[in-house]
Amino acid sequence: MTWVQYLLGTVTVVSAIVAVTLVWRTVARMVSIIRLGQPDPTRTGPFGPRLVTMLKETLGHTRMLKWTKVGIFHWLVMIGFGGLFLALVEAFVEVWNPRFHLPLIGEWGVYSLFVEILGVGTVVGIGVLIVIRQLNNPARTGRSSRFYGSNMGRAYFVEAIVFLEGLGILVVRGGKYALGSFDVPAWSAPVSMAIGSVLPASATLVTVFAAVKVLSATIWLIVIALTPTMGVAWHRFTAFPNIYFKRDDDGRKALGATRPMMSGGKPLDFEEADPDTDVFGAGKVEDFTWKGLLDFTTCTECGRCQSQCPAWNTEKPLSPKLLVTALRDHTYAKAPYLLAGGSRDMAGDEVGITGEGAEARLATIPVDALAEAGRPLIGGEDVLGVIDPEILWSCTSCGACVEQCPVDIEHVDHIIDMRRHQVLIESEFPTELNSLFKNLENKGNPWGQNAKDRLEWTKGLDFEVPVFDGELSADTEYLFWVGCAGAFDDGQKKTIRATAELLHRAGVGFVVLGPEETCTGDPARRAGNEFVFQMLAQQNVEVLNSVFEGREPGTRKIVTTCPHCLNTLGREYPQLDGHYEVVHHTQLLNKLVREKKLVPISAPAGEDAGPVTYHDPCYLGRHNEVYEEPRALVGAAGATLSEMPRHADRSMCCGAGGARMWMEERIGTRININRAEEAAETLTKASGNGTATGTLAVGCPFCRTMMTDGVNQVVGENVQVQDVSQMLLAAVRRGDPAPEPAPAETTAEAAPTTETPAVATPDVEVAAEQAAEKAVEQGVASSNGGAAEGSEGTSTDGTAEPNGVTGSNAATGSNGASGSHGAEAAEEQAKRSEN
């Protein structure tokens, strides 16, 4: 051996020992930090399904491939990282002995081809990813870049090391080929041999190449060991357990049901809870579960969540990525204090390190860690809060971040936990929520209306709507859950009436609860008021269990037009022993159309209402994965659907979820205006006449309110907002027989007699109601710039109105039709998000 081999061999061995030692210590420390979180026994099993999910998502790259181009090249890099481990081991020995091969497989053609493919794939894959990062460099594109706020220096370091690792494989093999010690079939190493054909025959050169490859790996390990918050590197290891320990063992995303409020690993019982000993949400970083701390550690800073977030895309301060990285940095900065046993009570007094020797123990803790421990988790710049309140309350809980995260971080659950602490312990929340909480608690609905008015929507129908009278008849298949919006919102009443008529026409047996129905509690839970949610939910579960008493599982059916009710009744009430089969009205109506119980008829040529686009409600789509049924009904109604750039699982939120319906939107462009501009641009293109005309179809009362307000401000009356059920009903009515001509007038003598006095027929009432509705729909826009007076989605009873309807909430200036994030920006963003 030469002195070069001795020197470089020694350096590589020493670097490897240092790297492994540091990584071992860092991993042990990371585990101890993650274990500081609250217990969560729901994450540990069953082993089989969790393992299958983890392997499917990692090896299959199912989440990454949602963005196809990026997913493919990232898969090449990931496979190369793991698959080339033996090549790295071989390189260690090649530093000492340039002619070394692995025993048995070192010169086997199949193995050589495997290594060749992985080496080339790694170089090509990381090369493309480098280009993608540069095309989206925030230095050029600013806030619109998904990498905005990411640590670009760390990313460049990781990309450079990956490139060197992949290239190192090929040049070492090429050097050995030039040296004449690479006896493999030509078909198994074409690139390596091409490189070797231009290299000199030099054992020293092979040693140097091998040393560079080894050192690039060991230096990478040393750097990440010294930087435990480098998620762009650590996710290569932490992604596997983070996916394995995801919320649902069946592989479902952390959407739909919100996690129960937990303390000590058990659901919190408000009747026995003690704020001094129990955890109420997350008021300190150690109040998150250990899975939450693992989430923060795993964030890759890829920015997919940020690129899809409706708050971030309308110039608000919330970025799911930056929120998670802020919590991660705070966790690791505070860790020395927590690991030393430090803890503070709600007043900020030290309760963990006390008694004799406390001062000496505190003195051993780094000053920076003590300072970090004094920071509130939620607070503005004046108190050095980790998360600004404006960030926390900007979230619509739409789930776009969770949907797109490739490593299963549970952003929405963490945000709701922080809101819970702010509401229940700190009593710090937007003032508008006071009215919401009061109305829910005292009246059982967000509008503060009386329960006796819950059947007002039935007036004028030409059939009787059955109301539950204490016993569910055998021919009643569904309980029709009307919801608060359906009962009290003028626009949503049209959806309820249309759905009820369609069910009646199809012969579906159903009943409504009427005054017995109350809010499901969805807005309270998303706003963090778990106490009010529990109160409403327990009341509803008691009522529903009595309604379905004696019915077997599978026959306790509920249909609702509200995706928020759908989600709460079907996914969250099981937490309170309420188990029902809940479907959205579009699902049931689609089934009835397929069974020919409803027969829609397309409009005659020249009478269609123009192009149609469909807005996916977040709680129907992402949270409950219902995408096809509403679209099928649009098609069944005879319309041709034109999709917006952001649709299906990448649909843009309307801005009403997460209790934002009841909060003012003061920062940036209004979310509903942004979405309305996208819809208007889509309909303009579909119409072909340069004018936005047609229909924006919806499937949610919140979306109906927000999009009606947005459309009224952006394009006015040219575009109508309708629920899918209204479109279907219009198509079904086309098949009704033409009305018989009125009989000729008769003389008094010839007129038939009857003992029953004449009364107005139900059809006359219906016609009067429809005429009134049409007059309301054609109302002029209000002078304050809000929704048109009496327009769909607007409450006209003088009570508190939701966000997007009140005059004070009307968009002005940059929030109007000329908002900077309109449809063109949305389409550009949708295309760019693939990168």
Side-chain angles (χ1 to χ4, degrees):
M1 288 188 292
T2 67
W3 68 269
V4 174
Q5 292 167 345
Y6 274 116
L7 176 61
L8 293 181
T10 302
V11 170
T12 55
V13 170
V14 171
S15 68
I17 294 173
V18 172
V20 171
T21 301
L22 289 176
V23 168
W24 180 267
R25 290 177 56 187
T26 301
V27 168
R29 185 173 179 81
M30 290 172 72
V31 171
S32 65
I33 292 172
I34 291 169
R35 293 182 66 183
L36 291 169
Q38 295 294 308
D40 186 352
T42 66
R43 307 281 182 165
T44 54
F47 173 76
R50 289 187 177 275
L51 179 64
V52 170
T53 295
M54 186 263 287
L55 293 176
K56 184 184 350 179
E57 289 193 19
T58 53
L59 299 182
H61 251 41
T62 53
R63 302 297 296 279
M64 285 295 301
L65 287 170
K66 283 179 174 288
W67 295 18
T68 309
K69 291 184 293 186
V70 176
I72 291 172
F73 293 110
H74 188 277
W75 183 85
L76 292 173
V77 172
M78 184 203 72
I79 294 298
F81 178 79
L84 294 176
F85 177 75
L86 287 179
L88 178 62
V89 172
E90 188 176 35
F92 263 103
V93 184
E94 289 169 336
V95 175
W96 298 89
N97 179 8
R99 299 179 182 275
F100 174 79
H101 291 288
L102 289 174
L104 301 178
I105 62 173
E107 295 183 309
W108 182 31
V110 175
Y111 174 72
S112 175
L113 179 62
F114 172 75
V115 173
E116 188 82 355
I117 292 173
L118 293 190
V120 173
T122 300
V123 171
V124 172
I126 198 62
V128 173
L129 296 182
I130 289 172
V131 171
I132 288 173
R133 183 178 293 272
Q134 292 310 306
L135 290 175
N136 292 274
N137 194 317
R140 291 191 306 104
T141 58
R143 184 185 170 100
S144 64
S145 168
R146 65 184 174 98
F147 300 114
Y148 183 92
S150 299
N151 192 309
M152 299 296 282
R154 293 177 179 180
Y156 294 155
F157 169 74
V158 170
E159 288 170 345
I161 292 297
V162 172
F163 182 80
L164 283 175
E165 284 294 293
L167 185 62
I169 289 290
L170 300 176
V171 297
V172 168
R173 287 157 62 89
K176 291 172 72 174
Y177 175 76
L179 191 60
S181 60
F182 192 50
D183 188 16
V184 297
W187 55 264
S188 69
V191 178
S192 296
M193 289 182 178
I195 293 173
S197 65
V198 299
L199 293 177
S202 171
T204 300
L205 191 63
V206 175
T207 293
V208 172
F209 286 159
V212 170
K213 173 169 174 53
V214 171
L215 288 174
S216 64
T218 56
I219 290 173
W220 182 76
L221 289 173
I222 291 170
V223 170
I224 71 169
L226 297 175
T227 319
T229 57
M230 191 187 290
V232 69
W234 276 107
H235 82 274
R236 290 165 176 260
F237 307 106
T238 57
F240 295 93
N242 205 58
I243 294 171
Y244 177 86
F245 292 119
K246 66 189 301 181
R247 193 172 74 182
D248 296 316
D249 58 70
D250 61 1
R252 180 179 168 78
K253 299 175 291 290
L255 293 174
T258 297
R259 286 181 67 254
M261 197 164 171
M262 308 283 284
S263 179
K266 298 178 181 179
L268 189 69
D269 185 343
F270 280 97
E271 294 183 0
E272 300 178 359
D274 182 356
D276 293 327
T277 57
D278 284 307
V279 174
F280 281 69
K284 303 185 293 293
V285 73
E286 58 269 31
D287 291 342
F288 291 104
T289 67
W290 60 263
K291 175 56 168 64
L293 302 188
L294 180 58
D295 272 356
F296 308 155
T297 302
T298 306
C299 179
T300 73
E301 300 184 32
C302 67
R304 290 191 179 202
C305 57
Q306 180 173 285
S307 73
Q308 304 297 305
C309 178
W312 184 259
N313 279 307
T314 52
E315 297 88 41
K316 295 171 181 60
L318 170 62
S319 157
K321 175 187 70 178
L322 298 181
L323 179 141
V324 167
T325 56
L327 292 171
R328 176 197 66 197
D329 294 344
H330 174 62
T331 299
Y332 281 84
K334 186 179 180 180
Y337 168 77
L338 297 174
L339 291 172
S343 178
R344 300 187 183 189
D345 61 16
M346 288 188 292
D349 298 324
E350 180 63 46
V351 295
I353 303 176
T354 58
E356 186 177 352
E359 291 186 8
R361 291 171 60 193
L362 287 170
T364 63
I365 301 173
V367 175
D368 290 346
L370 290 174
E372 201 72 26
R375 297 178 65 190
L377 187 67
I378 308 297
E381 292 183 2
D382 55 328
V383 294
L384 299 178
V386 178
I387 304 297
D388 190 277
E390 291 288 359
I391 293 175
L392 181 66
W393 294 104
S394 291
C395 178
T396 66
S397 72
C398 70
C401 49
V402 179
E403 175 70 40
Q404 293 299 330
C405 182
V407 292
D408 282 311
I409 293 174
E410 300 164 6
H411 313 74
V412 174
D413 283 347
H414 303 323
I415 288 172
I416 290 178
D417 272 341
M418 288 187 282
R419 286 184 173 185
R420 285 166 168 167
H421 185 86
Q422 291 301 106
V423 171
L424 299 175
I425 299 299
E426 303 292 343
S427 294
E428 293 285 345
F429 49 85
T431 55
E432 307 95 305
L433 292 179
N434 277 313
S435 296
L436 171 67
F437 295 154
K438 184 183 299 183
N439 287 337
L440 289 174
E441 194 166 0
N442 297 333
K443 294 291 189 176
N445 66 84
W447 279 268
Q449 294 290 340
N450 294 319
K452 65 181 179 61
D453 296 327
R454 281 188 174 269
L455 289 173
E456 288 294 309
W457 64 272
T458 64
K459 291 183 177 179
L461 292 175
D462 59 355
F463 62 92
E464 182 179 354
V465 175
V467 182
F468 180 70
D469 59 1
E471 184 176 354
L472 209 60
S473 63
D475 59 352
T476 299
E477 186 176 4
Y478 286 94
L479 170 66
F480 184 12
W481 187 272
V482 175
C484 301
F488 303 120
D489 183 271
D490 290 344
Q492 185 61 12
K493 286 178 182 178
K494 300 173 184 179
T495 301
I496 297 297
R497 291 162 61 90
T499 303
E501 181 175 338
L502 287 167
L503 295 179
H504 176 73
R505 284 171 172 263
V508 176
F510 71 93
V511 297
V512 298
L513 288 178
E516 292 298 311
E517 187 178 301
T518 191
C519 180
T520 62
D522 164 84
R525 185 169 234 194
R526 268 70 196 168
N529 198 331
E530 186 73 9
F531 178 80
V532 170
F533 166 75
Q534 294 278 347
M535 178 190 74
L536 295 170
Q538 289 172 1
Q539 176 182 339
N540 280 326
V541 167
E542 183 178 348
V543 169
L544 290 173
N545 284 347
S546 66
V547 169
F548 290 118
E549 186 176 4
R551 290 235 170 165
E552 296 296 323
T555 63
R556 300 156 65 92
K557 298 180 181 180
I558 300 175
V559 60
T560 180
T561 63
C562 178
H564 296 261
C565 296
L566 167 81
N567 186 68
T568 306
L569 293 167
R571 295 196 179 277
E572 297 188 341
Y573 278 17
Q575 299 170 1
L576 302 172
D577 199 30
H579 302 277
Y580 320 109
E581 294 74 42
V582 189
V583 297
H584 193 245
H585 70 301
T586 59
Q587 294 175 291
L588 178 55
L589 295 178
N590 186 59
K591 176 174 177 286
L592 296 174
V593 170
R594 286 188 284 107
E595 292 175 349
K596 306 298 184 183
K597 293 181 179 179
L598 292 172
V599 182
I601 305 297
S602 297
E607 294 185 16
D608 63 275
V612 176
T613 191
Y614 172 68
H615 166 78
D616 286 277
C618 301
Y619 273 78
L620 183 62
R622 279 186 291 267
H623 282 274
N624 284 276
E625 299 180 346
V626 177
Y627 298 110
E628 297 305 321
E629 288 87 343
R631 288 172 167 80
L633 290 181
V634 170
T640 299
L641 185 66
S642 298
E643 294 283 12
M644 286 185 265
R646 294 174 291 188
H647 64 277
D649 62 2
R650 294 198 202 180
S651 178
M652 176 70 168
C653 179
C654 74
R660 289 294 320 178
M661 180 90 163
W662 317 103
M663 288 183 261
E664 298 286 349
E665 193 171 345
R666 301 182 178 90
I667 303 175
T669 305
R670 292 174 60 84
I671 294 175
N672 65 327
I673 296 296
N674 182 291
R675 184 58 163 169
E677 288 174 339
E678 184 177 359
E681 180 67 21
T682 300
L683 292 173
T684 300
K685 290 180 179 179
S687 67
N689 57 16
T691 304
T693 57
T695 301
L696 172 57
V698 296
C700 169
F702 288 8
C703 295
R704 180 172 194 148
T705 297
M706 300 299 284
M707 297 315 302
T708 298
D709 173 61
V711 165
N712 284 344
Q713 294 188 50
V714 172
V715 293
E717 299 178 359
N718 288 339
V719 174
Q720 60 177 334
V721 179
Q722 282 194 324
D723 188 89
V724 174
S725 61
Q726 291 178 272
M727 298 176 64
L728 178 65
L729 178 59
V732 170
R733 282 176 172 173
R734 293 187 196 111
D736 291 349
E740 296 181 2
E745 293 185 5
T746 58
T747 62
E749 292 78 5
T753 59
T754 175
E755 296 180 0
T756 304
V759 295
T761 65
D763 286 341
V764 173
E765 295 181 22
V766 173
E769 175 70 10
Q770 291 173 345
E773 289 180 356
K774 184 175 182 181
V776 167
E777 290 176 350
Q778 294 176 348
V780 296
S782 62
S783 61
N784 62 14
E789 295 179 6
S791 64
E792 296 184 6
T794 305
S795 177
T796 57
D797 52 24
T799 60
E801 296 174 326
N803 178 18
V805 181
T806 61
S808 63
N809 262 340
T812 58
S814 63
N815 291 345
S818 60
S820 60
H821 281 263
E824 293 181 1
E827 187 167 6
E828 180 181 350
Q829 177 69 25
K831 293 177 180 177
R832 185 169 55 246
S833 68
E834 275 292 337
N835 298 324

PDB file of all heavy atoms in Angstrom, residues 480-493:
ATOM      1  N   PHE A 480     -83.217  12.634   7.999  1.00  0.00           N
ATOM      2  CA  PHE A 480     -82.690  13.752   7.214  1.00  0.00           C
ATOM      3  C   PHE A 480     -82.220  14.831   8.188  1.00  0.00           C
ATOM      4  O   PHE A 480     -83.029  15.513   8.816  1.00  0.00           O
ATOM      5  CB  PHE A 480     -83.781  14.280   6.282  1.00  0.00           C
ATOM      6  CG  PHE A 480     -83.335  15.376   5.350  1.00  0.00           C
ATOM      7  CD1 PHE A 480     -81.990  15.692   5.177  1.00  0.00           C
ATOM      8  CD2 PHE A 480     -84.280  16.098   4.618  1.00  0.00           C
ATOM      9  CE1 PHE A 480     -81.592  16.698   4.305  1.00  0.00           C
ATOM     10  CE2 PHE A 480     -83.888  17.108   3.741  1.00  0.00           C
ATOM     11  CZ  PHE A 480     -82.543  17.413   3.597  1.00  0.00           C
ATOM     12  N   TRP A 481     -80.894  14.955   8.315  1.00  0.00           N
ATOM     13  CA  TRP A 481     -80.322  15.959   9.218  1.00  0.00           C
ATOM     14  C   TRP A 481     -80.239  17.281   8.450  1.00  0.00           C
ATOM     15  O   TRP A 481     -79.433  17.448   7.545  1.00  0.00           O
ATOM     16  CB  TRP A 481     -78.941  15.518   9.693  1.00  0.00           C
ATOM     17  CG  TRP A 481     -78.365  16.419  10.747  1.00  0.00           C
ATOM     18  CD1 TRP A 481     -77.622  17.531  10.543  1.00  0.00           C
ATOM     19  CD2 TRP A 481     -78.495  16.277  12.160  1.00  0.00           C
ATOM     20  NE1 TRP A 481     -77.282  18.104  11.741  1.00  0.00           N
ATOM     21  CE2 TRP A 481     -77.796  17.361  12.758  1.00  0.00           C
ATOM     22  CE3 TRP A 481     -79.129  15.348  12.986  1.00  0.00           C
ATOM     23  CZ2 TRP A 481     -77.709  17.519  14.140  1.00  0.00           C
ATOM     24  CZ3 TRP A 481     -79.056  15.513  14.367  1.00  0.00           C
ATOM     25  CH2 TRP A 481     -78.359  16.585  14.921  1.00  0.00           C
ATOM     26  N   VAL A 482     -81.072  18.225   8.827  1.00  0.00           N
ATOM     27  CA  VAL A 482     -81.208  19.473   8.089  1.00  0.00           C
ATOM     28  C   VAL A 482     -80.026  20.397   8.348  1.00  0.00           C
ATOM     29  O   VAL A 482     -79.512  21.047   7.430  1.00  0.00           O
ATOM     30  CB  VAL A 482     -82.530  20.175   8.454  1.00  0.00           C
ATOM     31  CG1 VAL A 482     -82.630  21.546   7.789  1.00  0.00           C
ATOM     32  CG2 VAL A 482     -83.712  19.297   8.055  1.00  0.00           C
ATOM     33  N   GLY A 483     -79.574  20.458   9.588  1.00  0.00           N
ATOM     34  CA  GLY A 483     -78.463  21.341   9.935  1.00  0.00           C
ATOM     35  C   GLY A 483     -78.924  22.766  10.190  1.00  0.00           C
ATOM     36  O   GLY A 483     -80.014  23.176   9.778  1.00  0.00           O
ATOM     37  N   CYS A 484     -78.092  23.522  10.871  1.00  0.00           N
ATOM     38  CA  CYS A 484     -78.455  24.889  11.246  1.00  0.00           C
ATOM     39  C   CYS A 484     -78.600  25.787  10.021  1.00  0.00           C
ATOM     40  O   CYS A 484     -79.528  26.598   9.942  1.00  0.00           O
ATOM     41  CB  CYS A 484     -77.410  25.467  12.200  1.00  0.00           C
ATOM     42  SG  CYS A 484     -77.211  24.510  13.726  1.00  0.00           S
ATOM     43  N   ALA A 485     -77.665  25.686   9.070  1.00  0.00           N
ATOM     44  CA  ALA A 485     -77.752  26.515   7.871  1.00  0.00           C
ATOM     45  C   ALA A 485     -79.012  26.182   7.084  1.00  0.00           C
ATOM     46  O   ALA A 485     -79.698  27.079   6.574  1.00  0.00           O
ATOM     47  CB  ALA A 485     -76.512  26.324   7.009  1.00  0.00           C
ATOM     48  N   GLY A 486     -79.331  24.900   6.969  1.00  0.00           N
ATOM     49  CA  GLY A 486     -80.527  24.500   6.230  1.00  0.00           C
ATOM     50  C   GLY A 486     -81.799  25.019   6.868  1.00  0.00           C
ATOM     51  O   GLY A 486     -82.782  25.308   6.183  1.00  0.00           O
ATOM     52  N   ALA A 487     -81.782  25.155   8.184  1.00  0.00           N
ATOM     53  CA  ALA A 487     -82.978  25.604   8.882  1.00  0.00           C
ATOM     54  C   ALA A 487     -83.099  27.119   8.909  1.00  0.00           C
ATOM     55  O   ALA A 487     -84.218  27.653   8.851  1.00  0.00           O
ATOM     56  CB  ALA A 487     -82.962  25.075  10.317  1.00  0.00           C
ATOM     57  N   PHE A 488     -81.977  27.829   8.977  1.00  0.00           N
ATOM     58  CA  PHE A 488     -82.043  29.268   9.233  1.00  0.00           C
ATOM     59  C   PHE A 488     -81.458  30.151   8.135  1.00  0.00           C
ATOM     60  O   PHE A 488     -81.709  31.351   8.137  1.00  0.00           O
ATOM     61  CB  PHE A 488     -81.326  29.588  10.557  1.00  0.00           C
ATOM     62  CG  PHE A 488     -81.867  28.831  11.733  1.00  0.00           C
ATOM     63  CD1 PHE A 488     -81.054  27.986  12.466  1.00  0.00           C
ATOM     64  CD2 PHE A 488     -83.203  28.944  12.098  1.00  0.00           C
ATOM     65  CE1 PHE A 488     -81.545  27.287  13.552  1.00  0.00           C
ATOM     66  CE2 PHE A 488     -83.708  28.245  13.181  1.00  0.00           C
ATOM     67  CZ  PHE A 488     -82.884  27.406  13.913  1.00  0.00           C
ATOM     68  N   ASP A 489     -80.682  29.621   7.220  1.00  0.00           N
ATOM     69  CA  ASP A 489     -80.068  30.435   6.172  1.00  0.00           C
ATOM     70  C   ASP A 489     -80.943  30.398   4.922  1.00  0.00           C
ATOM     71  O   ASP A 489     -81.284  29.318   4.409  1.00  0.00           O
ATOM     72  CB  ASP A 489     -78.667  29.902   5.857  1.00  0.00           C
ATOM     73  CG  ASP A 489     -77.954  30.752   4.827  1.00  0.00           C
ATOM     74  OD1 ASP A 489     -78.110  30.480   3.626  1.00  0.00           O
ATOM     75  OD2 ASP A 489     -77.240  31.679   5.230  1.00  0.00           O
ATOM     76  N   ASP A 490     -81.310  31.573   4.425  1.00  0.00           N
ATOM     77  CA  ASP A 490     -82.256  31.648   3.311  1.00  0.00           C
ATOM     78  C   ASP A 490     -81.757  30.911   2.075  1.00  0.00           C
ATOM     79  O   ASP A 490     -82.526  30.256   1.372  1.00  0.00           O
ATOM     80  CB  ASP A 490     -82.529  33.114   2.956  1.00  0.00           C
ATOM     81  CG  ASP A 490     -83.339  33.817   4.030  1.00  0.00           C
ATOM     82  OD1 ASP A 490     -83.925  33.111   4.871  1.00  0.00           O
ATOM     83  OD2 ASP A 490     -83.378  35.057   4.034  1.00  0.00           O
ATOM     84  N   GLY A 491     -80.463  31.042   1.782  1.00  0.00           N
ATOM     85  CA  GLY A 491     -79.924  30.372   0.601  1.00  0.00           C
ATOM     86  C   GLY A 491     -79.934  28.870   0.750  1.00  0.00           C
ATOM     87  O   GLY A 491     -80.336  28.126  -0.155  1.00  0.00           O
ATOM     88  N   GLN A 492     -79.512  28.367   1.908  1.00  0.00           N
ATOM     89  CA  GLN A 492     -79.417  26.927   2.099  1.00  0.00           C
ATOM     90  C   GLN A 492     -80.785  26.268   2.196  1.00  0.00           C
ATOM     91  O   GLN A 492     -80.908  25.069   1.938  1.00  0.00           O
ATOM     92  CB  GLN A 492     -78.579  26.620   3.348  1.00  0.00           C
ATOM     93  CG  GLN A 492     -78.302  25.145   3.583  1.00  0.00           C
ATOM     94  CD  GLN A 492     -77.524  24.477   2.450  1.00  0.00           C
ATOM     95  OE1 GLN A 492     -76.997  25.174   1.584  1.00  0.00           O
ATOM     96  NE2 GLN A 492     -77.440  23.171   2.465  1.00  0.00           N
ATOM     97  N   LYS A 493     -81.817  27.030   2.540  1.00  0.00           N
ATOM     98  CA  LYS A 493     -83.158  26.446   2.565  1.00  0.00           C
ATOM     99  C   LYS A 493     -83.532  25.891   1.192  1.00  0.00           C
ATOM    100  O   LYS A 493     -84.253  24.893   1.083  1.00  0.00           O
ATOM    101  CB  LYS A 493     -84.185  27.493   2.996  1.00  0.00           C
ATOM    102  CG  LYS A 493     -84.146  27.830   4.482  1.00  0.00           C
ATOM    103  CD  LYS A 493     -85.167  28.911   4.826  1.00  0.00           C
ATOM    104  CE  LYS A 493     -85.090  29.286   6.297  1.00  0.00           C
ATOM    105  NZ  LYS A 493     -86.045  30.369   6.638  1.00  0.00           N
TER     106      LYS A 493
END
